[in-house]
């Protein structure tokens, strides 16, 4: 229903009326193909773990989103005078991943701006394009921004999970991500699906801007298509390891999660996960900030976690390892999630997980899954209410 309407459910159907004058209002029927089974735990101890394990499927569904919708988003962004991607909380970090991929794959500047601070920073005009990302499609800050964007005649679009949600009906173009119901307050699979959709848009935009040849795009799409199997193997082979490492470090109460480049939003999202599900103080930060103040924090009370890029990402890898050395030089305690066999047994790390080899295009997604498992097992070790963490709601519909 839209604002200003109400529905009466009767034995043989329903009537929708206008609140002001009670006039019946005709509504289009939308089929939501979610069944009861999809919203049960299916033998998992928590919905959060079930939904982490569903990510192999949700990536497949994100890859099955129609090309027309993906291409239309890419065209809209390129045609606009300025294009932005927005969301809040976890979906802001998904939007930030988009920003990095639009730059690397399409040579496009598409700032990711959190929806709560957007209007105070970016005066929108009719020549602008705003792509909103939202699982629920009901988030107050994101709806407020999109309504203002429409009032200023900017083009609006959304990548959204809940069919029939307010956001999906508000924007000029809605791309449904098809992740199925996400029950846990802690968003995992929906965000990964949004990241995949944004990477797909960046690849289409890359061909349109001439930054990518069609064959390069096809090769990258093949890498995205290899992700579901990689995710499934990773979760089955690594969960026990993350359980062990989380148990070992659950007594640390001050965390600094870091990454560079496209691993920076992954560090931010992991820090958010640790805050919201394990109730531990966790800051996400670009590793490059260390020398500009944060190094003063490094002491026995602080635990650092570094997402180290693949060695194929040469410059990023080099700079990230230099940040690792900065922390170690001050006696800091550091855990690394990395992709390099050459770093196995490195004395630079107090603890580490060697993640499975994968193409740089998808390695941030695997790094994110590592962060999800780590935060989940921190929370279970600490006996937290994983699916319904204190003070949080699944959809924040008020300011
Ligand atoms: O429904 P939305 O994706 O718009 O929700 C935005 C945030 O409230 C949401 O991502 C929140 O940060 C997550 N539940 C955290 O896991």
């Amino acid at each position: 229903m839209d604002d200003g309407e109400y529905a009466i459910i009767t034995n043989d159907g329903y009537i929708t009326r206008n609140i002001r004058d009670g006039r019946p209002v005709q509504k289009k029927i939308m089929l939501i193909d979610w069944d009861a089974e999809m919203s049960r735990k299916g033998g998992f101890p928590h919905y959060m773990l079930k939904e982490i394990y569903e990510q192999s499927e949700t990536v497949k569904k994100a890859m099955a989103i129609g090309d027309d919708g993906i291409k239309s988003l890419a065209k809209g962004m390129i045609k606009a005078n300025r294009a932005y991607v927005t969301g809040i909380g976890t979906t802001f970090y998904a939007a930030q991943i988009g920003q990095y991929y639009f730059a690397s794959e399409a040579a496009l500047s598409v700032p990711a701006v959190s929806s709560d601070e957007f209007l105070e920073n970016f005066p929108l005009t009719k020549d602008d394009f705003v792509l909103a990302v939202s699982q629920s499609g009901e988030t107050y800050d994101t709806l407020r921004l999109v309504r203002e964007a429409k009032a200023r005649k900017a083009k609006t679009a959304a990548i959204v999970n809940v069919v029939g949600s307010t956001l999906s009906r508000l924007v000029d173009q809605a791309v449904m991500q098809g992740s199925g119901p996400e029950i846990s307050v802690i968003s995992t699979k929906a965000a990964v699906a949004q990241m995949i959709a944004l990477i797909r848009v960046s690849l289409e935009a890359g061909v349109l801007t001439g930054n990518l040849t069609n064959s390069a795009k096809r090769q990258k799409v093949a890498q995205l298509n290899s992700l579901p199997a990689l995710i499934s193997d990773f979760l089955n082979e690594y969960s026990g390891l993350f359980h062990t490492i989380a148990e070992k470090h659950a007594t640390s109460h001050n965390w600094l999660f870091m990454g560079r480049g496209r691993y920076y939003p992954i560090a931010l999202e992991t820090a958010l996960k640790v805050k919201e599900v394990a109730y531990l103080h966790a800051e996400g930060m670009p590793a490059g900030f260390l020398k500009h103040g944060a190094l003063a924090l490094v002491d026995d009370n602080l635990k650092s976690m570094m997402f180290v890029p693949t060695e194929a990402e040469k410059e990023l890898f080099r700079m990230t390892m230099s940040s690792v050395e900065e922390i170690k030089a001050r006696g800091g305690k550091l855990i690394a999630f990395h992709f390099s066999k050459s770093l196995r047994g490195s004395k630079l790390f107090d603890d580490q997980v060697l993640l499975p080899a994968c193409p740089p295009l998808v390695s941030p997604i695997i790094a994110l899954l590592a962060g999800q498992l780590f935060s989940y097992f921190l929370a279970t070790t600490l006996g937290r209410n994983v699916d319904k963490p204190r003070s949080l709601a699944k959809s924040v519909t008020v300011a």
Side-chain angles (χ1 to χ4, degrees), residues 226-247:
S226 72
L227 201 43
L230 188 61
I231 288 174
S232 178
D233 293 346
F234 171 71
L235 293 172
N236 290 329
E237 288 162 26
Y238 282 73
S239 287
L241 183 56
F242 281 100
H243 195 164
T244 307
I245 197 168
E247 280 179 332

Side-chain angles (χ1 to χ4, degrees), residues 42 81 120 156 163 186 202 208 217 219 273 315 339 366:
N81 177 38
E120 283 67 30
T156 57
V163 177
I186 312 299
S202 76
L208 292 172
K217 186 206 107 178
Q219 193 191 17
K273 289 280 157 294
E315 188 57 3
F339 297 88
I366 295 297

Side-chain angles (χ1 to χ4, degrees), residues 304-315:
S304 296
M305 215 297 288
M306 190 71 77
F307 288 98
V308 182
T310 64
E311 291 186 60
E313 301 162 279
K314 286 191 174 38
E315 188 57 3

Side-chain angles (χ1 to χ4, degrees), residues 107-266:
L108 263 187
S109 163
V110 179
V113 188
S114 64
S115 57
D116 60 329
E117 291 298 322
F118 195 112
L119 293 170
E120 283 67 30
N121 283 284
F122 296 92
L124 288 167
T125 72
K126 63 178 176 45
D127 304 319
D128 294 338
F129 183 98
V130 176
L131 173 56
V133 181
S134 176
Q135 190 288 127
S136 65
E138 302 300 342
T139 297
Y140 168 82
D141 294 291
T142 305
L143 291 176
R144 170 178 171 262
L145 161 60
V146 170
R147 286 192 171 108
E148 182 58 26
K150 287 177 73 72
R152 297 182 191 194
K153 307 276 182 278
K155 305 289 177 297
T156 57
I159 295 172
V160 54
N161 191 37
V162 177
V163 177
S165 59
T166 305
L167 181 63
S168 67
R169 289 179 287 115
L170 195 58
V171 292
D172 303 323
Q173 180 196 352
V175 169
M176 303 313 294
Q177 62 189 74
S179 306
E182 186 175 70
I183 309 296
S184 181
V185 166
I186 312 299
S187 188
T188 50
K189 65 172 187 174
V192 166
Q194 290 154 358
M195 292 177 187
I196 298 299
L198 287 167
I199 294 171
R200 286 187 60 198
V201 177
S202 76
L203 298 180
E204 291 303 339
V207 171
L208 292 172
T209 59
N211 196 56
L212 282 183
T213 61
N214 272 306
S215 67
K217 186 206 107 178
R218 278 195 298 275
Q219 193 191 17
K220 290 171 183 271
V221 168
Q223 289 171 358
L224 290 176
N225 279 320
S226 72
L227 201 43
L230 188 61
I231 288 174
S232 178
D233 293 346
F234 171 71
L235 293 172
N236 290 329
E237 288 162 26
Y238 282 73
S239 287
L241 183 56
F242 281 100
H243 195 164
T244 307
I245 197 168
E247 280 179 332
K248 215 164 121 184
H249 297 281
T251 51
S252 299
H253 288 263
N254 284 304
W255 288 84
L256 196 50
F257 289 86
M258 290 169 279
R260 282 181 182 259
R262 48 178 68 164
Y263 298 88
Y264 167 39
I266 302 304

Side-chain angles (χ1 to χ4, degrees), residues 215-385:
S215 67
K217 186 206 107 178
R218 278 195 298 275
Q219 193 191 17
K220 290 171 183 271
V221 168
Q223 289 171 358
L224 290 176
N225 279 320
S226 72
L227 201 43
L230 188 61
I231 288 174
S232 178
D233 293 346
F234 171 71
L235 293 172
N236 290 329
E237 288 162 26
Y238 282 73
S239 287
L241 183 56
F242 281 100
H243 195 164
T244 307
I245 197 168
E247 280 179 332
K248 215 164 121 184
H249 297 281
T251 51
S252 299
H253 288 263
N254 284 304
W255 288 84
L256 196 50
F257 289 86
M258 290 169 279
R260 282 181 182 259
R262 48 178 68 164
Y263 298 88
Y264 167 39
I266 302 304
L268 289 170
E269 167 55 8
T270 301
L272 174 62
K273 289 280 157 294
V274 170
K275 279 192 275 264
E276 62 177 336
V277 76
Y279 309 163
L280 297 174
H281 179 247
E283 181 181 350
M285 192 184 77
F289 271 31
L290 270 171
K291 281 191 180 129
H292 304 276
L295 267 181
L297 261 183
V298 175
D299 64 15
D300 284 345
N301 301 318
L302 179 80
K303 190 64 65 67
S304 296
M305 215 297 288
M306 190 71 77
F307 288 98
V308 182
T310 64
E311 291 186 60
E313 301 162 279
K314 286 191 174 38
E315 188 57 3
L316 222 42
F317 177 82
R318 182 189 65 76
M319 294 194 295
T320 303
M321 288 309 293
S322 130
S323 300
V324 168
E325 284 159 15
E326 280 162 11
I327 292 173
K328 291 315 290 174
R330 278 114 187 133
K333 295 192 187 62
L334 185 133
I335 303 171
F337 293 165
H338 64 85
F339 297 88
S340 309
K341 287 199 173 112
S342 62
L343 291 175
R344 255 191 307 214
S346 166
K347 294 282 174 278
L348 284 171
F349 311 142
D350 295 272
D351 223 330
Q352 59 169 283
V353 177
L354 171 59
L355 300 175
C358 55
L361 185 81
V362 299
S363 50
I365 304 295
I366 295 297
L368 174 56
L369 267 64
Q372 291 173 346
L373 286 174
F374 185 63
S375 60
Y376 172 77
F377 286 117
L378 279 176
T380 54
T381 302
L382 294 168
R384 306 303 193 213
N385 183 345

